[in-house]
Amino acid sequence: MRKAMKNQETQNMKQETVVLIVGAGPAGLATSACLNLNNIPNIVLEKEDCCAFLWKKRSYDRLKLHLAKEFCELPNMPFPPGAPTFVTKQGFIQYLDDYIGHYNLAPLYHREVESASFGRNWTVAAKNTRLDRTEEYVSAFLVVASGENGEGFVPQILGLDSISGDVMHSSDYRNGKKYENRDVLVVGSRSSGMEIAFDLWNWGAHASIVARSPVHILTKRMVQVEMVLLKCVPLNIVDNIVLMLSKLKYGSLSDYGIQRPDKGPFYLKMETGRSPVIDVGTINKIRSREIKIIPVHKKHRWNHVDFIDGSTKTFDSVVFATGYKSTVAKWLKVLDTYLSNSVNRYYFRGITDALYGL
């Protein structure tokens, strides 16, 4: 009996399928649903304890989709009637949960992939962090749907560990309730940084933003117009139209510390992956000097921040809205070898581009 139980446990620790999907975010869920519709066996592995972990547990309260809902729907399931054009965080989470139920998806949670190798098939080792054991999965195809936002990126800054106040990545920020009347430095001037600064202002905090590089400032409607036009108009023409609209609305912001890039917003998105900033009201507060743009910082000394212009300011808290980095390279060790084949490189790029569009 004991031997039979051991054999059963070993069998459960090794599973075979046709397609193995790593990541239970929107792209992973959509891939699994499409495979289910075609009766293709698949398994979804997710290292966290829920699907769409970034949305559910790593995003600030006021977050909304920055793209109109028609560009964010998952395959074969539109948003429910009456959903706003720009869906709220809670609305999108409910939509994803409904999607899972509708397509009977069953991701395996608490599975952290440790390695993936390719021979005749893909062999993936994943640690079941809930049971503290390693499991093996064998599949003909591997879909990496863990996204570009595997973990928060915080740059190395001299003296960062000496700050006595709160220091966090934007993924740990929820709202500005506890920051009323406090001086908060937001490092990063892209959409998350701008919106967090605006949220802090709404809660009565004194927010300042470090603008590290030139950015395009657009409204959600401008992005919506561009997304529609891109279906039938060349990108350079669409970029020129949207830039004209941005200049008409915002004018020059150089006097406030915001520079505009030389190249168009969606050209840069395609070339670098960096999105334009979606303004939620922050620019008006920057113009009124209620939210300040300040020079790139040089180092931290306790509660003080030294800037490259020689000035020093004291802050109670620092929020790093400095983006994320992918963790795929930590476990997909065969990636460089696999992509060295031009056919495989094209195939892999096609898959990642398709998933990125989701």
Side-chain angles (χ1 to χ4, degrees):
M1 176 67 71
R2 186 174 299 174
K3 183 177 181 181
M5 291 178 62
K6 185 175 181 180
N7 288 340
Q8 182 65 38
E9 182 180 358
T10 302
Q11 183 179 4
N12 290 339
M13 292 173 65
K14 181 176 180 178
Q15 297 189 51
E16 296 184 5
T17 188
V18 176
V19 182
L20 185 67
I21 303 165
V22 180
L29 298 176
T31 303
S32 182
C34 292
L35 292 170
N36 287 352
L37 286 173
N38 289 278
N39 297 314
I40 300 174
N42 65 92
I43 295 174
V44 181
L45 303 181
E46 170 57 52
K47 69 176 182 178
E48 306 295 349
D49 61 354
C50 63
C51 69
F53 179 79
L54 284 176
W55 278 91
K56 291 183 175 181
K57 298 185 179 182
R58 290 291 187 184
S59 58
Y60 44 92
D61 295 341
R62 63 171 289 122
L63 179 64
K64 294 182 180 180
L65 290 177
H66 286 165
L67 297 180
K69 60 184 178 182
E70 60 264 31
F71 301 109
C72 299
E73 294 173 345
L74 300 192
N76 306 303
M77 184 171 163
F79 281 97
T85 301
F86 300 97
V87 179
T88 64
K89 170 184 173 179
Q90 290 304 320
F92 189 57
I93 289 173
Q94 184 61 56
Y95 170 77
L96 294 176
D97 287 340
D98 292 343
Y99 194 82
I100 287 177
H102 183 77
Y103 287 104
N104 196 28
L105 307 181
L108 299 181
Y109 300 117
H110 304 282
R111 267 66 172 196
E112 184 171 2
V113 175
E114 296 180 325
S115 66
S117 59
F118 184 73
R120 293 181 61 183
N121 291 295
W122 284 99
T123 300
V124 174
K127 184 175 182 179
N128 184 325
T129 55
R130 186 171 62 87
L131 300 179
D132 192 25
R133 71 183 189 189
T134 299
E135 300 170 346
E136 184 177 281
Y137 298 86
V138 178
S139 63
F141 302 94
L142 174 66
V143 175
V144 179
S146 52
E148 300 173 321
N149 302 330
E151 61 184 26
F153 170 72
V154 176
Q156 295 294 321
I157 299 175
L158 180 64
L160 180 61
D161 57 354
S162 67
I163 298 179
S164 59
D166 293 338
V167 178
M168 69 179 72
H169 186 265
S170 57
S171 60
D172 295 315
Y173 178 89
R174 297 295 171 266
N175 59 62
K177 184 177 181 179
K178 70 177 183 179
Y179 298 103
E180 184 177 0
N181 294 321
R182 297 178 67 180
D183 291 307
V184 184
L185 178 68
V186 179
V187 182
S189 58
R190 299 198 174 274
S191 290
S192 293
M194 289 284 193
E195 188 161 2
I196 287 173
F198 185 68
D199 188 62
L200 286 164
W201 176 87
N202 276 310
W203 285 98
H206 309 298
S208 299
I209 303 172
V210 170
R212 301 182 301 157
S213 58
V215 293
H216 285 291
I217 309 293
L218 306 178
T219 66
K220 290 181 179 180
R221 293 296 181 184
M222 290 177 192
V223 175
Q224 186 180 11
V225 167
E226 182 144 12
M227 294 292 286
V228 172
L229 290 176
L230 282 172
K231 295 179 179 180
C232 55
V233 180
L235 183 146
N236 63 319
I237 296 176
V238 178
D239 260 355
N240 288 335
I241 293 172
V242 173
L243 274 174
M244 178 186 67
L245 294 174
S246 177
K247 290 176 181 178
L248 286 173
K249 180 171 179 61
Y250 296 111
S252 174
L253 297 172
S254 58
D255 289 343
Y256 302 94
I258 299 175
Q259 305 296 328
R260 183 179 282 116
D262 296 330
K263 298 180 180 178
F266 282 79
Y267 173 84
L268 289 176
K269 173 63 178 175
M270 291 184 62
E271 288 295 308
T272 68
R274 293 185 175 183
S275 301
V277 171
I278 310 299
D279 178 38
V280 295
T282 315
I283 298 302
N284 283 339
K285 300 307 171 186
I286 291 173
R287 279 180 164 159
S288 64
R289 307 292 184 180
E290 293 171 90
I291 295 176
K292 298 179 180 178
I293 299 290
I294 52 182
V296 177
H297 55 293
K298 183 178 181 182
K299 65 178 180 178
H300 294 279
R301 296 182 293 106
W302 295 97
N303 285 38
H304 297 78
V305 179
D306 296 337
F307 299 97
I308 57 174
D309 65 355
S311 63
T312 299
K313 183 172 175 59
T314 300
F315 291 95
D316 301 305
S317 303
V318 180
V319 179
F320 281 94
T322 43
Y324 294 80
K325 57 183 179 181
S326 173
T327 59
V328 175
K330 293 181 179 180
W331 55 266
L332 192 56
K333 303 300 183 182
V334 299
L335 186 60
D336 290 338
T337 301
Y338 184 67
L339 295 185
S340 64
N341 180 289
S342 60
V343 175
N344 286 335
R345 183 167 60 250
Y346 177 80
Y347 177 68
F348 187 87
R349 178 64 186 271
I351 290 176
T352 54
D353 284 353
L355 294 178
Y356 183 76
L358 296 174

